[in-house]
Each structure stands twice: as structure tokens, then as C-alpha cells.
Amino acid sequence: MALLKSMMGRLRKGLDRTRKAMGGGLRALLGGKRLDENLIRDLERALIQSDTGVATTRKLITGVRDAYKTQRLNTGDEVIEYLKRELKALWPEQDRALHFSADPGVPTVILVAGVNGAGKTTSIAKLAHALHEQNKSVLLAACDTYRAGAVRQLEIWAERLDMQVVKGQQGGDPAAVAFDAAEAAISRNVDVLIVDTAGRLHTQDSLMRQLTKIRDVVRRRIPQAPHEVLLVLDATTGQNATQQARQFAQAIDVTGIFLTKLDGTARGGVVIAIQQETNIPVKFIGVGETPADVEPFDPDRFVDALFADE
Amino acid sequence: MFDRLSDGFSSAFKKLSGKGKISEANVREAMDEVRDALLDADVNYEIVNDFCDSVVDRAVGTEVTKSLSPQQEMVGIVHKALVDLMSAPTEPGVPRVSPGPTVVMMCGLQGSGKTTTCGKLAAYLKKRGRSVMLAAADLQRPAAVDQLRTVAQQVETEMPGGAQVHFYAEPDKVAEYGKAVGAAITVCQNAYKAAKAKGVDTLILDTAGRLHVNDDLMGELRAVNRALQPHHILLVVDAMTGQDAVNSAKAFHEQLEIDGVILTKFDSDTRGGAALSVKKVTGAPIRFIGVGEKLDAIEEFHAERVAGRILGMGDVVSLVERAQQEVSEEEAERMAEKMAKGQFTMEDFLDQMRTLRKMGPMKQLLGMLPGVGQALKDVQVDEKQLDRIEGIVNSMTPTERKDVNKINPSRRKRIARGSGVKPEEVSQLVKQFGVVSKLSQQFSGMGIKGKMKAMKDLQAAGGAAGALGGMGMPALPGMGRKGSTHTASPKTRFKKRRK
């Protein structure tokens, strides 16, 4: 995958602040120190402040404390190695690849959803760009008929990336647009159809039902669709992230998470919280503002980046 | 949205119930859970620690007010501390500056909801007769200008109010991301000139979303700030933000000295700890909260109400305060004991009802209970029904009040005549009183779950019996804070009555 190119460097660049606040900070915090109660408390603070969540933090800290009391861990450096091991063990072998249609004659459909302001449209541009680089033809469906300017926003990206968009009327039925787009994807014989949806809070039942409807309508035209359902999650979101993941998963069977704004946040911990609280794999991370700023997520590398040297 | 935080508090405070006095030990224990609840709610780590310390300081040594359980007392203390943390002495809304136009600059991270909030603010001002100009200074995000234009049109045509809504943009200045940095300043300056010429009351500048770590874009905001010197710099913050809320708010504040905060997406189920954090680190008041997708879904921020929501307690604090004024501890204890022994008489009931009614009109009291206020919005509470009950009891002799079993058909007829009701109504009251006093006896020996079930049985008994249950409330130790028990009963009761 072209995406994998220079991935390590990019991920590290994107996670730079995370690293400074959490990993780098952790290395600075733990490196070369003797382990004691104060250090354990500082570690707890660092984890909490990275949005790791109370439950997961407590679990990790309890582990450290027990090992400290039984003198299995005596130095900060040992704690670093211990945490790396523990964190890496949190991720089982998981399928993190983008799912494609098994039948080359049938277009792959990627449904993209998320709360308002999570970064759906930008993430779609990134995805489309990456697929484009793999020589796949991409069609975009502008199903955000609610927010003013949303269709235009997607159109502008499409122009920049040289792609086609299927759109409907502002205020129109998004499911109808999705159906038309599925139709168009088949007749134009494109490889991938990416469906953009309006941002919605996971607490709004009627809007969540609308999302289910969009999915079902597409399915009526392309029975195996959607092949991929991506939930776009803002990495600066706190513990509500897992709540979002659960609710969206219930409505549309989310198959993967696209974690955005990881570049701006000092909070990589939410990745850990998501893994602990939901079973949905993080597939992509957004680490910048240009269409090229996307990386596949790799837990081992992520953990290594967290604990990298300054 | 604060439901789960409230749950956290409830379980923390459950530990306090049944204990006589607030000591450092039991407060610390309960505060551990409060601490976790706040951390789970995304309140910043440091702020949580400060908050908990201050609550412990306040609580320890506080004498448990008569008639209240320690947990109720703690609710009051935590509530007060939350209000103190979130409130600031400030004029609500967007104070007008003379000579105009009043300049408002919106700023915030990407996706926090600036453009939508600009529209909501315009609608808010329009409703108050203030003309508005919305200026599109977000030249970065594709179609941001289009979005603001549409929003401005919607406010102009669909939202109530007489004032005009203008829109200002220079679409030709829109360039691809990163190249239009200086242009935003020019747009803002030109917008100001246009606003002044038109005599617009308030100019709202919609700036591009940016990361607080992006020096170029933060520089742009500083430049706009220098050039226009906005009267109000409002930071738009997503209420779902995690621990990072502190860092971004701090960064914006350091660069711009923000004057206020608008919390968006408050209608989600986030526990909203960002509200506490942002207020604490910037010192700037939270002015508005965004509560929905529509353009009128904006409310002024009230620390008391949000603190109440955090605790899931309606306005129990005021209720508690009134109870403190009216019920003495000795009285409450005597009553509780009587109930436990099954010695609760009509006389006691009359006392309690009078005490409760002294605290205020029934509807108002019920409205203070968690969850009840909204449900009762359109319900007429019949104070007269309570007058009748009082009348019936007043027509009983002291002997009858002590032992309702003495009431035979002849006595019943006399009571009915004395209070101007039908004899059946007297029988009904007597019957329901029997149910209540039996239940109250069981109550004292029950855990919280048993109590909830008993309350349900009580509702099943219906009518005045439900009211009787309510009457007994202030004197039932350990029951007070458990919002749900109270919530369910009056709600169902009044639904029933309406039928």
C-alpha cells in the first residue's frame, strides 16, 4: 500500500505532541529514576491527562504498583518496558485493512459517519486521495444535505482531487442521494463509492435512524454494501468517544474508526480507551490538514511512538 | 448529558447516608468516587484535585443540618463548590458597546462549531432587536464562506425578531489552505467599515478553526485582534472535549485574552467536564451553551442550573434550604421513629402536611425535585385538594386522629358534614392513610431498593395516598437524595390525576 510509505516518520511527526505530553513526557518522567509512590502518582496523572480514562489508567497503575511492591519493578526504565508490553498486549490481532468488494464488478462502498465537527469531509478527502493514489476510481456521495455549505465543501475537495460527486438538494433526503450515488457508481463502473453523511450527535435517535436508512437504501442497490463503515472520531474528544462508538456501532455496524486531529492533541490516550471500551479497530489516523496526512493505524508502532526518545 | 456524572455522585453519596456526621474520613472516602466521576467526565486532572480538596475543606466540620442526612448536606456543599467554580460575575449575553458596532470575534478549534454558533448568536441578538453583521473571515475551510452566507440568510428569513441581519464576505480572497493568512485581517477591517457605515449594532467575525499549536494561524488571530480590538472575544469549545480542553483554552487565552466561552454540543450525553476546566483555566465566563441543531438552540449559561444538572438534582438545594428553615431535627427524628414503630397518626400527618405547605406552593416544590420540573410544566396542581384533606383531618376529634380505626359510620358522617365532603371521601382518606402508615413502617427497615419498590406500591394506592407519601418525605432519613424515588412518584401521580 502506498500509504505505508514513510509511515513511521509521519506517524511520529503527527504524534509529536502526544509523544511530548505522554510518551516523551513519560520517558522524561520515568527515565533514569528509581520507582516510588510519588513516581507512580505522577504516572497516573500523565495517563489521565492523555485521556486514557480512569478505568484503564487504574488497571495499568495497579499493575505497576503491584509489581513495585513485589519488587519486580524497581526503576522507571523498567516501568517503560512494562507499560510498552502491557499496552501492546491490549491490541489483539485485528483486521485493520480497508475492506473491498470481493466482486471486481461491484463497487466498494465506504459509508462515513460521525458527530458534528469530527472531520468527516476532510477525512473523506484523505481517503479518496489515498485510494486515488492506488489508481482506484472514486465517486463521492454528498449526503450531508443538512449543514449549509457541506455539499459545496465536498465539491471543492472533489475538484481539487479531480473526482466526481453525486449531490442532492440542500434539505433533501440524504437516503435518496445515497441511492442515486449507488446507481451512479454502478453505471459509471467506479471502484469505490464514498458516502459522506451529515454530522449528528449519537444521542439524536431520529438522526441515527436516518443513518440506518441511508445504509439500508444503499444496500438495496448493492447488496453487500457498505463494505466498510467508518466512524470519524475527533481525537480531542474525551471519554465520550467510546459512547459515540457504541451508539454509531448500534445504528450502522461500524467496521472501523478514522481518528482525526491526532496532530493537534496531546491526547493519544483516547486510542487506548477506545480499544478497551469497544471492539472496533482504529483503522486510520489523521495527522494533518492536507489530503496526504493520513496513516493506517498500527498499535505497536503507536505504542513505540508514545515511548520514543525525545 | 450530566446523567452519568450524577450517577457517580449518587453512588459516592450513598456511602454517606446513614452516617450521622460529616467527618474527614467519610468525606474523603466519598470524594474518591466524586474524583473518579469528575475524571470520567473529562474534568482536568489538576482541577479535579483542587476541587475535591476544596470540597473536603468545606465539608469537614460542617454540622449536619437538622432533618438532613449527611449525603444531602454533601450535595449542598458539592453543588455550591461547582457553582463557585463555574460562575463569574458578568452581564449575561453580549453586552452592547457604544458607540457601535459591538465587535465580537469567534475563535476555536476546527469542528468546535464556530460557524453554526455565529448563526445562533445572530439569531439570539436579532430576537432582542439588535441588528447583526456576520463576517466570513474563515478563508481556509472549503465552503466556509458559503456556509456562513446560508446561515445568515436563514437567520434573516426564518428567525424571529425585527432587526436586520447582514452578511459580509470577500469570496475572491478565499484561497487554498495556508495561502490566505493575511487576507483574513483585511476582510475583518473591511467588514468593520461596512458595519459602521450601515449602523449595525453588532459585528460577528467568524474566524477559521485552528489548532492552538499552529503559530501562523494563532498569529493571524492576534493580528485581527490588534487591528479591530474586538469587544468580545468568544472561544467556542466542544462540550465533549477531553483533557486537552485545558491546553487549548489556555493557549487561546494566552494569545487573545478571551472574554467568554460558548460551549457547543451540550445536548449530547457528554458529561461535560470541559465546562469546569475551561472556566477554571481562563477565568472567562461561560456565556452560552449550544443545545441543538436549530439556529435558536442557544441558551444563556447559568452555573446554578448546570451544577444542578451535574448533580442531577433539579433544584433540590433550594428545597433543602427551605426544609432547613421549617423542620427541626428533633421533630424529624421523632417523626421517623413514630413511622418505624407504626405509631404515625393522622395528627402527625396533619403537622407534616402543614410544614410542607409552609415551604411553598406544591407545584413549585415538586418542580424542584429532580426530573419533575419538566414533566409538570403543563400540569395543574390542585392545591384545593390538599385543603380538602386538611379540612377532613381538622374535622376529626383528637381521639379519631390518634386512631383512625375508631371512625365508624356515624363518626364518618359527622366528619364529612364538618368538612363539606362526601362520606366516601373520608373513607378513602382513612383507607389510604392506613396503606401509607403501614408502608412507612416497612420503609424504615428497608434498603434503597425496597424503598423504591414501596414507593411504587404507594403510587398504585393512588390519589391522596401518593400525596401522603410525599408528605412523609422530609422526615424519612436516608431517603432524601435518592432522586429517582421522588421523581417517579409525583410524576406518575399527576399523570394519573390528569386522566
Side-chain angles (χ1 to χ4, degrees):
Chain A
M1 225 168 144
L3 277 177
L4 283 161
K5 203 171 51 185
S6 80
M7 160 169 161
M8 190 59 184
R10 268 189 174 285
L11 177 56
R12 280 191 44 177
K13 193 174 129 229
L15 291 175
D16 197 45
R17 278 179 48 79
T18 303
R19 202 153 49 84
K20 279 202 187 104
M22 190 175 173
L26 282 181
R27 192 165 279 279
L29 180 78
L30 298 167
K33 299 244 180 76
R34 285 217 66 78
L35 189 57
D36 59 19
E37 232 355 271
N38 284 335
L39 196 57
I40 294 178
R41 253 198 301 281
D42 289 344
L43 177 63
E44 180 192 54
R45 172 202 317 245
L47 288 170
I48 291 273
Q49 292 198 331
S50 316
D51 283 331
T52 309
V54 176
T56 308
T57 300
R58 184 133 306 154
K59 214 158 102 186
L60 291 167
I61 290 296
T62 307
V64 170
R65 190 169 276 136
D66 289 350
Y68 164 64
K69 282 185 182 150
T70 53
Q71 289 171 353
R72 277 175 289 131
L73 288 178
N74 300 304
T75 68
D77 293 292
E78 286 167 13
V79 174
I80 292 175
E81 289 314 307
Y82 170 86
L83 283 178
K84 268 187 171 182
R85 250 191 340 269
E86 287 292 308
L87 286 173
K88 283 180 184 176
L90 292 180
W91 278 273
E93 278 302 308
Q94 239 174 350
D95 180 11
R96 265 179 286 274
L98 201 56
H99 296 165
F100 288 97
S101 165
D103 180 351
V106 177
T108 298
V109 179
I110 303 176
L111 178 61
V112 181
V115 300
N116 317 63
K120 282 174 297 302
T121 311
T122 310
S123 298
I124 286 171
K126 291 178 180 180
L127 266 184
H129 175 75
L131 291 163
H132 196 63
E133 290 215 323
Q134 296 174 52
N135 294 320
K136 292 193 189 294
S137 55
V138 181
L139 178 67
L140 304 176
C143 293
D144 183 354
T145 53
Y146 184 81
R147 181 169 64 88
V151 173
R152 187 72 200 118
Q153 187 179 350
L154 194 66
E155 270 183 323
I156 292 172
W157 278 120
E159 282 162 21
R160 288 182 195 170
L161 298 167
D162 195 22
M163 283 164 198
Q164 290 179 311
V165 184
V166 175
K167 56 180 178 173
Q169 289 287 314
Q170 167 93 31
D173 179 7
V177 182
F179 186 83
D180 289 349
E183 232 7 51
I186 293 169
S187 63
R188 294 179 206 177
N189 200 21
V190 298
D191 296 320
V192 183
L193 168 67
I194 306 181
V195 182
D196 185 19
T197 61
R200 64 202 73 218
L201 289 179
H202 50 292
T203 45
Q204 288 164 344
D205 290 339
S206 60
L207 291 179
M208 294 307 278
R209 279 199 298 278
Q210 183 194 64
L211 206 51
T212 314
K213 183 182 164 194
I214 293 173
R215 194 247 339 243
D216 293 347
V217 161
V218 173
R219 203 171 265 177
R220 219 175 289 163
R221 197 65 196 82
I222 305 171
Q224 304 87 351
H227 305 84
E228 190 72 62
V229 180
L230 290 180
L231 171 66
V232 179
L233 258 180
D234 181 339
T236 55
T237 307
Q239 301 309 305
N240 194 249
T242 55
Q243 200 59 23
Q244 291 176 25
R246 281 196 207 104
Q247 297 295 324
F248 275 95
Q250 205 166 40
I252 45 171
D253 301 313
V254 176
T255 57
I257 288 170
F258 193 128
L259 198 64
T260 61
K261 309 182 197 176
L262 204 56
D263 52 331
T265 165
R267 310 300 158 206
V270 74
V271 177
I272 301 163
I274 290 166
Q275 176 60 31
Q276 281 288 284
E277 303 284 326
T278 73
N279 215 9
I280 307 165
V282 174
K283 292 195 171 176
F284 300 97
I285 52 177
V287 290
E289 315 243 353
T290 73
D293 291 326
V294 57
E295 304 293 347
F297 176 73
D298 180 306
D300 285 1
R301 289 191 172 128
F302 172 75
V303 172
D304 285 338
L306 289 181
F307 289 91
D309 297 312
E310 282 297 310
Chain B
M1 67 174 273
F2 280 118
D3 288 358
R4 277 172 301 163
L5 179 54
S6 316
D7 288 350
F9 275 127
S10 301
S11 80
F13 289 134
K14 225 182 270 174
K15 291 193 172 168
L16 281 179
S17 67
K19 294 182 185 168
K21 251 184 191 143
I22 297 181
S23 73
E24 174 141 6
N26 60 29
V27 169
R28 287 237 175 255
E29 189 189 348
M31 286 315 282
D32 269 353
E33 291 207 28
V34 170
R35 184 173 165 274
D36 282 3
L38 289 169
L39 287 175
D40 256 336
D42 295 321
V43 183
N44 176 263
Y45 186 88
E46 311 286 348
I47 294 169
V48 170
N49 283 347
D50 290 352
F51 177 79
C52 290
D53 287 349
S54 82
V55 170
V56 171
D57 285 350
R58 272 193 217 201
V60 174
T62 308
E63 213 176 300
V64 179
T65 316
K66 311 184 175 211
S67 91
L68 292 169
S69 64
Q71 87 171 25
Q72 283 170 313
E73 193 75 27
M74 278 299 294
V75 170
I77 293 165
V78 172
H79 181 273
K80 179 85 186 5
L82 282 175
V83 171
D84 287 354
L85 190 56
M86 287 190 292
S87 64
T90 177
E91 216 180 311
V94 185
R96 184 188 260 126
V97 175
S98 163
T102 306
V103 181
V104 180
M105 180 165 94
M106 309 286 266
C107 58
L109 300 173
Q110 290 104 330
S112 53
K114 280 174 301 304
T115 308
T116 305
T117 306
C118 283
K120 288 181 178 179
L121 206 54
Y124 170 90
L125 293 169
K126 184 189 176 194
K127 200 172 174 185
R128 282 154 185 77
R130 293 169 63 175
S131 59
V132 182
M133 177 179 281
L134 288 166
D138 180 357
L139 308 176
Q140 321 282 353
R141 181 163 57 96
V145 174
D146 295 334
Q147 184 182 353
L148 192 67
R149 177 184 289 117
T150 313
V151 165
Q153 272 162 7
Q154 282 172 345
V155 176
E156 170 75 27
T157 55
E158 295 165 21
M159 302 311 290
Q164 281 195 311
V165 178
H166 304 272
F167 173 70
Y168 185 87
E170 297 178 34
D172 55 321
K173 289 246 168 48
V174 175
E176 205 160 308
Y177 182 79
K179 293 180 197 156
V181 167
I185 301 154
T186 322
V187 171
C188 290
Q189 282 169 325
N190 293 343
Y192 181 79
K193 281 177 210 149
K196 191 139 187 113
K198 284 203 165 100
V200 166
D201 181 281
T202 304
L203 170 68
I204 301 174
L205 308 170
D206 181 24
T207 65
R210 63 204 72 218
L211 292 172
H212 51 288
V213 290
N214 185 323
D215 291 336
D216 289 350
L217 283 170
M218 291 306 279
E220 176 192 275
L221 278 185
R222 279 200 309 274
V224 173
N225 187 20
R226 266 198 308 276
L228 276 99
Q229 302 194 334
H231 305 101
H232 306 290
I233 301 179
L234 300 181
L235 178 66
V236 181
V237 178
D238 184 334
M240 297 185 285
T241 314
Q243 296 278 327
D244 203 43
V246 164
N247 297 340
S248 55
K250 207 189 280 169
F252 275 100
H253 190 53
E254 276 166 8
Q255 307 256 348
L256 300 166
E257 277 188 52
I258 60 167
D259 303 289
V261 175
I262 301 182
L263 282 172
T264 58
K265 308 177 203 175
F266 219 71
D267 49 329
S268 71
D269 60 349
T270 173
R271 283 164 278 181
L276 299 176
S277 303
V278 171
K279 172 62 182 55
K280 176 85 176 176
V281 291
T282 63
I286 300 168
R287 289 184 180 268
F288 295 98
I289 52 175
V291 291
E293 302 238 349
K294 303 249 156 54
L295 283 168
D296 58 358
I298 185 167
E299 291 174 3
E300 284 174 18
F301 177 83
H302 295 281
E304 285 82 4
R305 284 183 216 163
V306 172
R309 271 167 75 175
I310 290 178
L311 295 169
M313 56 198 240
D315 199 359
V316 168
V317 171
S318 322
L319 194 60
V320 165
E321 276 169 9
R322 291 192 197 184
Q324 281 171 293
Q325 287 164 15
E326 299 294 342
V327 187
S328 72
E329 184 181 23
E330 295 74 24
E331 175 73 12
E333 259 172 30
R334 192 177 62 84
M335 213 57 94
E337 203 170 299
K338 278 190 146 185
M339 283 189 167
K341 290 184 181 159
Q343 294 169 345
F344 189 66
T345 67
M346 250 331 172
E347 188 81 46
D348 302 325
F349 166 61
L350 191 63
D351 276 356
Q352 288 219 355
M353 188 158 90
R354 283 178 176 156
T355 307
L356 193 62
R357 294 190 78 186
K358 255 192 273 174
M359 286 161 63
M362 210 49 177
K363 181 165 178 176
Q364 199 190 332
L365 292 182
L366 292 169
M368 290 178 179
L369 290 174
V372 179
Q374 279 298 310
L376 280 186
K377 223 166 41 188
D378 327 299
V379 176
Q380 288 302 311
V381 177
D382 192 2
E383 294 278 337
K384 278 191 184 144
Q385 182 66 25
L386 297 172
D387 290 341
R388 285 153 82 95
I389 294 177
E390 221 180 302
I392 296 173
V393 182
N394 275 333
S395 296
M396 295 176 184
T397 65
T399 324
E400 287 161 354
R401 289 184 209 173
K402 269 192 194 122
D403 184 5
V404 287
N405 295 324
K406 289 218 163 74
I407 300 176
N408 58 26
S410 144
R411 283 172 183 264
R412 187 174 63 198
K413 220 167 169 185
R414 192 204 76 245
I415 295 166
R417 213 176 314 130
S419 52
V421 299
K422 291 183 190 139
E424 299 86 78
E425 287 180 65
V426 179
S427 325
Q428 202 190 354
L429 179 66
V430 169
K431 201 173 123 207
Q432 284 164 343
F433 178 78
V435 175
V436 171
S437 63
K438 206 168 132 208
L439 278 171
S440 350
Q441 196 182 348
Q442 290 167 359
F443 247 62
S444 344
M446 276 176 198
I448 201 78
K449 277 200 178 126
K451 281 176 184 166
M452 284 164 82
K453 190 181 168 294
M455 283 306 270
K456 276 194 190 126
D457 294 346
L458 201 58
Q459 286 158 33
L468 293 175
M471 302 299 140
M473 180 199 77
L476 285 178
M479 250 210 66
R481 221 320 265 169
K482 201 52 208 164
S484 47
T485 36
H486 298 160
T487 313
S489 92
K491 216 192 294 184
T492 340
R493 171 155 34 103
F494 281 100
K495 266 184 195 150
K496 250 183 212 160
R497 188 169 287 175
R498 198 149 45 150
K499 278 177 199 160

